[in-house]
Amino acid sequence: MESLQKAIAAISPLSDEGMSAFSQGWKHWSTTKDFVLLKENTISDYIYFIEKGVARIYYYKNGREITEWIALDGQFFLSITSFFQRTPSYLTIQTIEPSHVYGIHHDDLMKLAGEHHEIERLLRKMVTASLILSQERMDSIQFESAQQRYEKLLKTSPQIVQRVPLTYIASFLGITLETLSRIRSQR
Amino acid sequence: MESLQKAIAAISPLSDEGMSAFSQGWKHWSTTKDFVLLKENTISDYIYFIEKGVARIYYYKNGREITEWIALDGQFFLSITSFFQRTPSYLTIQTIEPSHVYGIHHDDLMKLAGEHHEIERLLRKMVTASLILSQERMDSIQFESAQQRYEKLLKTSPQIVQRVPLTYIASFLGITLETLSRIRSQR
DNA sequence: GATAAAATTTGATATTTATCAATTGCAGAC
DNA sequence: GTCTGCAATTGATAAATATCAAATTTTATC
């Protein structure tokens, strides 16, 4: 809980009252390896925060798994489209290590955002940060070579490379497993 | 002004008071063809709304122009990174037809969002919609062929194809002018 | 520790799109 | 109307990465 509160405060500081109201909204899960938090085709009700562990978000495209996101200790994650549009998710979310995960339900969060201006602001800032990331990632996929993307990942999240199977990393980088393997071998 | 208010209300309805406070924050420009709204390397101060006309957002990558976004009548647009992070923009924004454009200054918007909970909520919804779009676009660039992306554009914004030079459309779709030309000829 | 299963690597070839170069088409200025 | 310059098309070739098919290495299980 403390790490969650710290992560929240780092995005947008809350008053004691706001923080305490907000903190009460979160549930907690202790998961095993390959525990499914969200199943494909269901509406995603939660924004998650991973206190310790690794989660991956993936979907199927042309019959194969595409990892859309990998979240490590201290990060928020969610199925953006499903959560905000309240539509069935094409995404599946699972923890790929035993993990500690917090989650806040959509309805609770919206209620809190309606009641507390500062929580609305926090949410706005979270979405904005996510948008900036999304833009950067798009630029990366469009203009950087497979090699450059891998090296950037090595630099920015070396932990991912250590803790996550290469199959997942490959599709996360938007390349095939074989291409990733070749990139790694020539170093 | 009326079309702007309608566009705002469609995202998140405001009280009369909120709408009137918000409306006062917007400036108006009547621009000529190729009028520059934002210059590269300056901090982007405005969120824009194009009432009538066409704007394009572009930047330079490896010595050539990349069109990042094209906004037509009734759309909002901005340099996301620069506006929210208050850093110099690598983007340039210009109207490519004589246009009517509204803009609200960053500081005014933030002040309003701080004073009016409902404007904060509106802003959050705008950013969320933008995030969802960004995700869809990323998926499109990563998995759809040049052909599919062009056909989708034809379907979703046929106006763009009519009013915007192909050079701009090509980089907007993430392909070269030559590839776009070949796609068009085989139909 | 032996064995099965899964993950990763390696190789040969195919596909998509980019690049560079030349040509053609077309709109505005005079 | 003709000239000039930019926009678009067409052609030939190259580059990056995907695909399919094995082979090899690593990991987990009994």
Side-chain angles (χ1 to χ4, degrees):
Chain A
M1 184 93 264
E2 204 195 314
S3 63
L4 171 59
Q5 289 180 340
K6 264 195 193 159
I8 290 165
I11 295 167
S12 185
L14 296 182
S15 68
D16 290 351
E17 192 220 331
M19 181 60 92
S20 116
F22 195 43
S23 298
Q24 278 162 33
W26 295 76
K27 287 204 184 80
H28 181 263
W29 291 268
S30 285
T31 71
T32 57
K33 183 172 152 71
D34 296 333
F35 180 90
V36 173
L37 288 166
L38 171 69
K39 256 217 182 73
E40 197 187 6
N41 296 323
T42 60
I43 292 179
S44 172
D45 286 325
Y46 290 90
I47 288 185
Y48 299 97
F49 173 79
I50 190 152
E51 184 173 48
K52 179 97 191 61
V54 185
R56 95 173 166 118
I57 303 180
Y58 68 94
Y59 60 103
Y60 292 91
K61 189 101 189 181
N62 308 327
R64 56 190 77 181
E65 277 186 14
I66 306 293
T67 296
E68 164 156 315
W69 192 253
I70 295 168
L72 290 141
D73 326 61
Q75 290 192 303
F76 292 94
F77 58 98
L78 75 157
S79 167
I80 290 165
T81 320
S82 176
F83 182 84
F84 285 111
Q85 298 187 326
R86 312 308 295 143
T87 52
S89 178
Y90 58 98
L91 300 171
T92 298
I93 305 183
Q94 67 174 188
T95 52
I96 59 172
E97 281 182 8
S99 304
H100 290 279
V101 177
Y102 289 94
I104 188 164
H105 193 283
H106 176 273
D107 299 348
D108 296 334
L109 177 59
M110 290 307 158
K111 186 153 178 283
L112 284 164
E115 287 165 357
H116 302 266
H117 188 157
E118 58 181 339
I119 292 177
E120 184 74 72
R121 174 164 48 238
L122 168 74
L123 181 56
R124 188 255 297 168
K125 287 193 182 174
M126 287 178 76
V127 179
T128 303
S130 187
L131 174 59
I132 288 169
L133 216 63
S134 174
Q135 294 279 114
E136 281 169 5
R137 189 139 178 255
M138 185 157 62
D139 188 86
S140 169
I141 283 175
Q142 197 169 2
F143 296 110
E144 290 171 12
S145 66
Q147 168 115 261
Q148 289 174 308
R149 275 176 274 160
Y150 177 67
E151 309 218 312
K152 190 191 261 182
L153 184 72
L154 267 185
K155 209 184 289 175
T156 58
S157 335
Q159 297 206 48
I160 288 187
V161 184
Q162 283 155 18
R163 290 161 70 180
V164 178
L166 294 179
T167 326
Y168 300 162
I169 293 176
S171 65
F172 179 53
L173 290 173
I175 59 182
T176 58
L177 175 61
E178 292 92 330
T179 298
L180 178 58
S181 176
R182 285 183 245 269
I183 287 169
R184 283 162 56 88
S185 73
Q186 63 183 91
R187 295 163 48 91
Chain B
M1 184 94 264
E2 204 194 313
S3 63
L4 171 59
Q5 289 179 340
K6 264 194 192 157
I8 290 166
I11 295 167
S12 184
L14 295 183
S15 68
D16 290 351
E17 192 220 330
M19 181 60 91
S20 116
F22 195 43
S23 298
Q24 278 162 35
W26 295 75
K27 286 205 185 78
H28 180 265
W29 291 268
S30 286
T31 70
T32 56
K33 184 171 150 74
D34 297 333
F35 180 89
V36 172
L37 287 165
L38 172 68
K39 258 216 181 74
E40 197 187 6
N41 296 323
T42 60
I43 291 178
S44 172
D45 286 326
Y46 291 91
I47 287 184
Y48 299 97
F49 174 79
I50 189 152
E51 186 174 46
K52 179 96 192 63
V54 185
R56 92 172 167 121
I57 303 181
Y58 69 94
Y59 60 103
Y60 291 91
K61 188 100 187 183
N62 308 326
R64 56 188 77 181
E65 277 186 12
I66 306 294
T67 297
E68 163 156 316
W69 192 253
I70 295 169
L72 291 140
D73 325 57
Q75 290 192 303
F76 292 92
F77 58 98
L78 75 158
S79 168
I80 290 165
T81 321
S82 176
F83 182 85
F84 286 111
Q85 298 186 326
R86 312 306 296 142
T87 50
S89 178
Y90 58 98
L91 300 171
T92 299
I93 305 183
Q94 65 172 190
T95 52
I96 60 172
E97 281 182 9
S99 305
H100 290 279
V101 177
Y102 289 94
I104 188 165
H105 193 282
H106 175 273
D107 299 348
D108 295 335
L109 176 59
M110 290 307 158
K111 186 152 177 284
L112 284 165
E115 287 165 358
H116 302 268
H117 188 156
E118 59 182 338
I119 292 177
E120 184 73 73
R121 174 165 48 237
L122 168 74
L123 181 55
R124 188 255 297 168
K125 287 192 182 175
M126 288 178 76
V127 178
T128 303
S130 187
L131 174 60
I132 288 169
L133 216 64
S134 175
Q135 294 280 113
E136 281 169 3
R137 189 137 179 254
M138 184 157 62
D139 189 85
S140 169
I141 283 174
Q142 196 169 0
F143 297 109
E144 290 171 11
S145 66
Q147 168 115 260
Q148 288 174 310
R149 275 175 273 159
Y150 177 68
E151 311 218 312
K152 191 192 261 182
L153 184 72
L154 266 184
K155 209 183 292 175
T156 59
S157 335
Q159 297 208 46
I160 287 186
V161 183
Q162 282 155 18
R163 290 161 70 179
V164 178
L166 294 179
T167 327
Y168 301 162
I169 293 176
S171 66
F172 178 55
L173 291 173
I175 59 182
T176 58
L177 174 61
E178 292 92 330
T179 298
L180 177 58
S181 176
R182 284 184 247 270
I183 287 168
R184 283 162 57 88
S185 72
Q186 62 181 95
R187 293 164 49 89

